[in-house]
Amino acid sequence: MFGGFILLKICLSLCCSKVTDNAKNSLASLKRKNPRLEPTLAIIQAHNDQLTQEANKNLAKEIGLRVIHICLPEGSTKDEIVSEILRLNEDPNVQGLALDLPESLCSSKVLNAVKPEKDVDGLSSVNLGRLVHGDVCDCLVPPTVCAVMELLEDIGGKKVLLVGTHGAEGAALQSVLQRRGAAVLSCHWGAPQLQSELRHADAVVFGSTKPHDVPVSCTKPGATIINCARDPLPEKHSYGQQNNPAAEKTVGSLAVAMRMQNMVKNMERWIQSQQYRKWDLHSLKLQPVSPVPSDIEISRAQSPKAVDVLAKEIGLLTDEIEIYGQTKAKVRLSLLERLKDQPDGKYVLVAGITPTPLGEGKSTVTVGLVQALTAHLNINSFACLRQPSQGPTFGVKGGAAGGGYAQVIPMEEFNLHLTGDIHAITAANNLLAAAIDARILHENTQSDKSLYTRLVPVVNGVRGFSAIQLARLRRLGINKTDPKTLTEEEISKFVRLDIDPSTITWQRVVDTNDRFLRRITVGQANTEKGFVRQAQFDIAVASEIMAILALTTSLQDMKERLGRMVVANDKKGQPVTAEDLGVTGALAVLMKDAIKPTLMQTLEGTPVFVHAGPFANIAHGNSSVLADKIALKLVGEKGFVVTEAGFGADIGMEKFFNIKCRASGLVPSVVVLVATVRALKMHGGGPNVTAGAPLKKEYTEENLQLVADGCCNLQKQIQITQLFGVPVVVALNVFKTDSPAEVDLVCKIAKESGAFDAVPCHHWSAGGKGAVKLAQAVEKAANQKTSFKYLYSLELPIVEKIRIIAQKVYGAQDIELSPAAQSQVDRYTRQGFGNLPICMAKTHLSLSHQPERKGVPTGFILPISDVRASIGAGFIYPLVGTMSTMPGLPTRPCFYDIDLDPITEQVKGLF
C-alpha cells in the first residue's frame, strides 16, 4: 500500500509538471510576440491558507506569471468580497481574477461579480453557460474539473459517482464527464443509497470533506478515488477501507497548476481581444415622413442604441470607454496603442463654398454621408464632428448636430454641455488668466525675499522646490536643487517674471455671446492695490487651449503644448509662458478627461466622434486629431472617416491642410465640397440673406441666371482644393425650393470646373438613403491617386506665408500690415516663432475681408490689423480687418424659443 502511494505521488507530480511546462512554454511564446506583456493574476483569499497561497505563488513564478494576493480577513462578508472583485474588474493591469474562498462564501452573487473575461476559475454563470452548451472554445473549464479529468483515465461508458459536489463546480464537472461519455450519478453525503453506489462505481469523486458521522464502506476494487475537497494541499483522506488496493488521488496541487494554465489561456484570449475586430453594427431603421418635422422631433422619434452596445459593435473594449448616461461615452486613448499596427482607413474632408449666414449644411452632409456608407452600403465609416459652442446655440446660428434625417442624436445632448469639455477649457483658460494677474500683483507688492519665502514654502520643516519650479531653474541656467544655496541674484531671477502688462495676450473666456465683454477693466477693487488694466473676454472656443485640444496627439503632447503657451512678454521683450507661471500641471489636470473623444451616434445608429470645437474664422476650425486617428484605426483599411472643416474651403479647409495635417501627419483621400443653390444665387447677385428673416423670392423661385453667375464661387473653391492635390466631389445639398434645372446646372458646371463628380443629395429629407450616390462617388474618388502638397513651406518668413494665402486662396492683389501687426511679426521672428504655420482670422462670409463682397472678389488689398501667436497650439494668427473674438447676441436670439417642460424635463424649441 505504501509503495502504491509513492507511485501515486509520482504520477501526480508528473501530471503537475506536464501542465506547468505546457503553460510555461505557451506564455513564453506569447511574450516573444508581445514583449511588453505582463500577465497579472489577482487572487482574493478570505481564509488563512498559507499552503495554497505558496503553491499559487511558486507555480506562477515558475510559469512567468505575476500574482497579486488580496488577503481579506476571515470574517469578511460577501458584500466586502464583491466590492474587492468589482475594483479588480476595472483594473486594466489585471487580466485574470481567481477566488480562494470558503464554500460558505462561494455564492452565485460572489462568483458572478467576476467579469467573465477575467474569470480564470470559470465559475461565473456566463462561463458555465457556455461550457454546458458546448461552447468549449469560448469558455474556461474550472481548474478542479480540469484536474479531475486529467487524473481519470478513459471513462467512456464507465460509471462515475460524484459525492458532495454541488454548486457551479459540481455542475461543470457533471457536464464535462457526460460529454466524455461517462454515466454520472450525483449523491450528497447523507443519501441512503450512498453505500450501495460506492460499491458499483468505477470512479468516485469527493467534492467536499466527509462529515464525521457518515460511514463509507469499501469501494469497488480498482475504482479510482479522487478528492476535490477544499482542504490544505498535501492531503490524504482514507475514504476507502485499508483493504482497498485503490489509492486515493487528491487534486490540490494539480488544480493550482490547471488554474495557472487557465490564466495563460485567458491571456491568449485577452491578446486576441486586443486585435482589430470586424464590425458587427446593426443600423437603426428610419421612416422619413413628409413634410419633414423639426430636428428635435425627428431626434426624439428615434430610439438610440445604448452607447456600450454601439461601442461593442465597432470593436471597442469595455475598459476603453467611460460611459456618460445612456448615449454618450468617452473613449480612452489607450486604444491607439492597442491598434497601432492596424492600417488606417480612408480620410475624407467635408468643406464648403462661401456660406450664407444660415450655413449650407456641411454637418448635415457629413452625417448623411456616413449614414449612407454604413447603413446602406455596409462600409465601415465614422463621422468626426466639432462640439458646438453654446454661444451660437443660444444666439443665431443654432446647433451643429446636422439636421432633418441626417443628424447626431440625442441632438439636445449634443448641443448642450455634452461631456463638459468646453467647461473644462473655460476653467483651465481662466485659471491661467487669474495666475497672470495675481503674479503681477504679488511681484508689485513684495520683495524678492518675501516672494521666495512664499513661492518655496517650508513643508514639514523642509523647504523644497516643486518639479515645475526645478524645471524653471534649469531654463534660467541655475543648476541647483537646494533652496538654501541660491544667491540673491539667482533668487531675484527665479521669483520675478517681470510681466509687461501692456503685452498680455491671454484673455478670459466664457461660452456665451456677450458683446459687453469685448472690452473690460480688471483690478478696480481696493484689494488689488491700484493694479488696473484694460482686458477682454473671448468666446470659450477661441481659447488657445481649445486649439491645443484639437491638435494634440497625446496626453504628454498636450501637457507640453500647454506649457509652451505664451501669455505675455517680460519687460525685456522675452516671452512668458504658462510653464513660467507654474500652472502647466494644473491645466493638464483640468483637461485630462476633455482630451478623450466623445462617442455618439447618428439617426441610423452609425458611430460619431464629437471632439473639440474651435471656430474656423477666429481659430483653425477643425475637430480633433485624436478623434480622427482613433476613428481611422477603428474603421479598418477599407473604411472611411469623414471629418468637417468649418465655414468655406478658403478658411476651414485651408487650415485643415496647412495646420491640422501638419500636426497629425495624416493625408486626406478626398474632399467633399458642399454647395447649395441658395448660396450660389447669393453669390450671383441675389439679395442679402439674413438669419431669422424670410427668404426673398429670388431664392424660392427658379432663376438659372443667378445660379450660373454664382457658380464662380463654387469654381474658385474647387480651384482652392486643387492647390493641395486632392480630388474633390461636389455635394449639392438640395432644398425643396430648388428646381431640377437649377440642380442639373450646378452639377454640370462643377464637373466642367474640375470636380471628380458632382452629386445632388437628399439626406436631409431621406436620411442615408438620400446620400447613397454621394457615398458611391466618394468611394470612387478615394481610390484615385493623390499628389497631396502643402500650400507653403514653413521656412518662409511670416509675411510671405500670409501673402501666399491671401493671393492664392482669397484672390487678393496683396496684403497690408498695420504698424502694430508688423511690430508683432518682427517680435515673433526675433523670438524664434517664425517657422510656424499661419491661421488667418477672417470673416467667413466672403473670400475677401469685406463680408458684403460676394462671388469672387479680386483686386483687393487684404489688411492685417494685428498678428498674434498661439505658440502652444503651434501657429501664428493674423487678424484680418476688424475681426472680433467675442460674438454678440442679435435682436432676437434663439433663446426666445428654448424652454424646458418641468414635467417631462424635455427641452423645447431647440431647432
Side-chain angles (χ1 to χ4, degrees):
M1 192 66 197
F2 182 72
F5 180 71
I6 294 294
L7 195 62
L8 176 59
K9 295 294 285 184
I10 293 171
C11 176
L12 281 169
S13 179
L14 286 172
C15 283
C16 229
S17 296
K18 183 180 77 171
V19 172
T20 302
D21 288 344
N22 286 341
K24 185 177 179 180
N25 293 334
S26 296
L27 186 59
S29 176
L30 289 177
K31 286 185 173 180
R32 280 193 296 273
K33 296 174 186 174
N34 305 272
R36 289 198 232 171
L37 189 66
E38 190 181 1
T40 301
L41 171 65
I43 301 176
I44 297 177
Q45 196 168 312
H47 57 90
N48 188 18
D49 185 352
Q50 293 295 325
L51 288 171
T52 302
Q53 189 171 325
E54 283 302 312
N56 279 305
K57 271 187 183 175
N58 293 337
L59 268 177
K61 185 177 180 182
E62 184 179 347
I63 290 168
L65 294 167
R66 177 171 171 256
V67 168
I68 303 171
H69 267 97
I70 295 91
C71 298
L72 301 178
E74 280 199 38
S76 297
T77 64
K78 292 177 183 178
D79 286 340
E80 289 169 338
I81 292 167
V82 166
S83 178
E84 191 63 32
I85 290 171
L86 295 178
R87 182 185 70 80
L88 292 166
N89 279 345
E90 301 308 314
D91 188 340
N93 297 315
V94 172
Q95 292 84 29
L97 181 52
L99 307 176
D100 279 338
L101 305 174
E103 288 185 19
S104 60
L105 292 175
C106 291
S107 65
S108 60
K109 175 183 178 180
V110 172
L111 297 178
N112 287 323
V114 180
K115 268 188 177 178
E117 56 266 35
K118 292 192 178 186
D119 181 17
V120 170
D121 287 339
L123 296 176
S124 66
S125 294
V126 171
N127 192 79
L128 283 175
R130 292 169 181 164
L131 180 64
V132 170
H133 284 93
D135 301 331
V136 182
C137 295
D138 203 25
C139 70
L140 291 176
V141 180
T144 299
V145 177
C146 287
V148 170
M149 301 310 295
E150 185 74 21
L151 293 174
L152 285 173
E153 297 174 2
D154 181 25
I155 55 167
K158 294 183 179 179
K159 185 175 181 180
V160 179
L161 177 64
L162 307 181
V163 184
T165 60
H166 47 77
E169 213 164 60
L173 181 56
Q174 187 163 340
S175 174
V176 173
L177 285 167
Q178 287 173 339
R179 192 169 295 115
R180 292 279 186 90
V184 183
L185 180 66
S186 183
C187 284
H188 58 82
W189 284 107
Q193 73 272 28
L194 176 60
Q195 303 297 320
S196 170
E197 295 297 342
L198 281 169
R199 283 191 287 268
H200 293 94
D202 298 306
V204 181
V205 179
F206 297 118
S208 56
T209 306
K210 181 184 79 68
H212 293 297
D213 59 345
V214 177
V216 180
S217 62
C218 248
T219 55
K220 179 180 177 180
T224 303
I225 303 173
I226 298 176
N227 175 23
C228 302
R230 292 174 180 268
D231 289 334
L233 280 168
E235 28 354 39
K236 181 163 187 320
H237 298 276
S238 296
Y239 290 162
Q241 300 295 322
Q242 291 297 318
N243 61 353
N244 185 358
E248 178 190 319
K249 302 175 183 179
T250 307
V251 301
S253 298
L254 185 55
V256 173
M258 291 295 186
R259 170 183 276 175
M260 299 305 155
Q261 181 171 267
N262 270 3
M263 178 61 188
V264 174
K265 288 179 181 177
N266 212 43
M267 286 310 303
E268 291 171 348
R269 288 162 53 178
W270 181 82
I271 290 169
Q272 186 62 37
S273 75
Q274 302 298 298
Q275 306 305 311
Y276 177 79
R277 283 183 284 176
K278 188 178 178 183
W279 285 17
D280 182 25
L281 191 137
H282 300 278
S283 301
L284 301 176
K285 298 300 180 186
L286 273 186
Q287 294 181 323
V289 298
S290 184
V292 177
S294 70
D295 290 351
I296 200 162
E297 287 176 310
I298 294 172
S299 175
R300 289 211 179 117
Q302 184 66 287
S303 297
K305 289 181 275 194
V307 73
D308 58 331
V309 172
L310 173 64
K312 186 175 181 181
E313 288 179 343
I314 61 173
L316 285 163
L317 306 181
T318 53
D319 61 357
E320 288 174 341
I321 60 170
E322 299 168 3
I323 295 176
Y324 285 62
Q326 297 295 313
T327 55
K328 306 184 296 292
K330 286 284 192 184
V331 176
R332 293 174 179 160
L333 307 189
S334 58
L335 178 144
L336 284 172
E337 174 62 25
R338 175 170 71 86
L339 296 181
K340 64 180 184 295
D341 297 325
Q342 167 68 23
D344 288 347
K346 302 286 187 181
Y347 197 27
V348 179
L349 174 70
V350 175
I353 64 171
T354 305
T356 69
L358 305 177
E360 308 317 306
K362 290 191 309 300
S363 299
T364 310
V365 169
T366 301
V367 175
L369 175 54
V370 294
Q371 287 181 179
L373 283 165
T374 302
H376 297 271
L377 298 181
N378 200 30
I379 298 171
N380 291 357
S381 72
F382 233 110
C384 291
L385 298 175
R386 290 174 294 163
Q387 178 184 353
S389 163
Q390 287 179 181
T393 298
F394 290 100
V396 63
K397 183 177 181 291
Y405 287 101
Q407 57 175 303
V408 181
I409 56 172
M411 63 91 73
E412 60 266 50
E413 292 185 27
F414 178 93
N415 285 301
L416 303 172
H417 303 298
L418 198 63
T419 48
D421 293 356
I422 293 179
H423 300 313
I425 289 164
T426 302
N429 185 99
N430 293 344
L431 174 62
L432 180 53
I436 295 166
D437 288 327
R439 186 59 177 261
I440 294 172
L441 170 68
H442 293 312
E443 288 188 23
N444 284 345
T445 57
Q446 296 180 54
S447 65
D448 290 352
K449 183 179 179 182
S450 296
L451 281 169
Y452 193 61
T453 300
R454 289 178 170 87
L455 285 170
V456 193
V458 175
V459 180
N460 296 326
V462 179
R463 192 183 301 278
F465 295 115
S466 68
I468 202 165
Q469 289 176 327
L470 287 169
R472 172 164 165 75
L473 286 169
R474 288 192 294 272
R475 288 197 304 278
L476 293 170
I478 303 171
N479 296 312
K480 296 179 180 179
T481 57
D482 186 349
K484 293 181 289 187
T485 61
L486 268 65
T487 65
E488 288 187 5
E489 182 184 355
E490 288 170 338
I491 287 173
S492 182
K493 283 175 68 177
F494 172 73
V495 301
R496 296 209 174 268
L497 298 179
D498 278 331
I499 295 171
D500 180 353
S502 68
T503 67
I504 294 173
T505 55
W506 195 262
Q507 310 297 345
R508 289 166 172 83
V509 299
V510 63
D511 196 30
T512 304
N513 289 6
D514 192 343
R515 65 178 66 246
F516 283 90
L517 294 178
R518 290 170 177 169
R519 182 66 58 195
I520 61 169
T521 303
V522 296
Q524 294 192 73
N526 293 334
T527 50
E528 274 49 76
K529 302 178 182 179
F531 172 54
V532 177
R533 70 178 182 91
Q534 292 291 305
Q536 69 183 61
F537 270 77
D538 293 338
I539 188 88
V541 292
S543 169
E544 182 176 353
I545 296 177
M546 174 62 89
I548 286 173
L549 178 66
L551 293 173
T552 194
T553 55
S554 68
L555 198 53
Q556 180 62 34
D557 178 58
M558 182 178 73
K559 190 175 176 183
E560 291 170 2
R561 286 173 178 268
L562 291 170
R564 289 199 300 266
M565 293 187 301
V566 173
V567 299
N569 293 319
D570 64 20
K571 290 170 184 174
K572 294 177 183 176
Q574 294 304 305
V576 177
T577 66
E579 186 81 2
D580 291 324
L581 284 157
V583 74
T584 306
L587 300 181
V589 167
L590 287 169
M591 293 294 294
K592 73 179 181 66
D593 292 320
I595 196 175
K596 303 164 191 169
T598 299
L599 176 66
M600 294 187 75
Q601 64 193 282
T602 68
L603 277 166
E604 297 191 54
T606 68
V608 178
F609 273 142
V610 187
H611 201 215
F615 281 170
N617 54 353
I618 55 179
H620 63 85
N622 287 275
S623 63
S624 79
V625 166
L626 280 170
D628 292 355
K629 280 179 171 282
I630 292 173
L632 283 165
K633 294 298 181 187
L634 285 171
V635 296
E637 194 170 6
K638 295 182 180 179
F640 285 80
V641 171
V642 185
T643 189
E644 174 202 344
F647 298 124
D650 57 303
I651 299 183
M653 185 192 73
E654 181 271 316
K655 295 171 184 177
F656 172 87
F657 287 132
N658 286 317
I659 298 175
K660 185 176 179 181
C661 288
R662 277 190 164 107
S664 68
L666 300 172
V667 177
S669 306
V670 62
V671 169
V672 174
L673 191 65
V674 179
T676 61
V677 168
R678 177 181 67 194
L680 293 173
K681 285 181 174 179
M682 178 191 72
H683 288 298
N688 287 339
V689 175
T690 306
L695 288 171
K696 301 287 197 304
K697 65 179 179 63
E698 288 84 350
Y699 296 105
T700 57
E701 298 175 1
E702 184 179 287
N703 191 322
L704 294 176
Q705 189 60 52
L706 268 185
V707 173
D709 293 344
C711 277
C712 62
N713 187 273
L714 172 61
Q715 291 169 310
K716 173 64 175 174
Q717 302 289 9
I718 291 172
Q719 291 167 11
I720 294 169
T721 307
Q722 291 170 334
L723 290 172
F724 298 93
V726 180
V728 57
V729 173
V730 171
L732 184 62
N733 200 7
V734 178
F735 296 171
K736 63 182 179 181
T737 53
D738 301 342
S739 74
E742 290 172 330
V743 170
D744 291 343
L745 178 61
V746 174
C747 292
K748 177 175 178 290
I749 292 173
K751 291 175 187 176
E752 291 172 349
S753 303
F756 176 83
D757 203 349
V759 185
C761 301
H762 302 272
H763 45 270
W764 183 79
S765 58
K769 185 178 179 181
V772 167
K773 289 184 179 178
L774 173 63
Q776 290 167 336
V778 167
E779 187 181 12
K780 288 177 184 175
N783 290 321
Q784 299 296 301
K785 188 176 180 181
T786 62
S787 53
F788 174 70
K789 54 186 178 293
Y790 297 116
L791 186 64
Y792 53 78
S793 165
L794 294 180
E795 306 305 315
L796 291 172
I798 293 172
V799 172
E800 187 56 30
K801 286 182 281 196
I802 297 172
R803 181 174 285 112
I804 288 172
I805 295 172
Q807 292 178 335
K808 290 192 175 182
V809 178
Y810 306 151
Q813 181 179 324
D814 204 352
I815 61 172
E816 183 178 62
L817 274 69
S818 70
Q822 186 62 59
S823 174
Q824 286 291 72
V825 167
D826 294 341
R827 172 176 288 163
Y828 294 141
T829 303
R830 194 168 55 248
Q831 292 174 342
F833 303 139
N835 288 345
L836 294 175
I838 304 299
C839 182
M840 303 289 279
K842 183 187 82 71
T843 179
H844 60 289
L845 296 173
S846 171
L847 283 161
S848 75
H849 58 288
Q850 298 167 300
E852 68 277 5
R853 295 189 67 179
K854 306 301 181 183
V856 182
T858 57
F860 59 93
I861 304 296
L862 193 74
I864 309 299
S865 59
D866 196 5
V867 177
R868 299 175 188 170
S870 292
I871 304 304
F875 54 72
I876 302 291
Y877 66 103
L879 272 68
V880 178
T882 54
M883 275 299 301
S884 173
T885 50
M886 170 56 81
L889 290 172
T891 304
R892 192 187 189 284
C894 293
F895 61 64
Y896 276 94
D897 302 311
I898 297 172
D899 199 1
L900 181 72
D901 187 316
I903 306 300
T904 64
E905 298 186 13
Q906 286 194 336
V907 177
K908 297 179 179 179
L910 196 62
F911 329 118

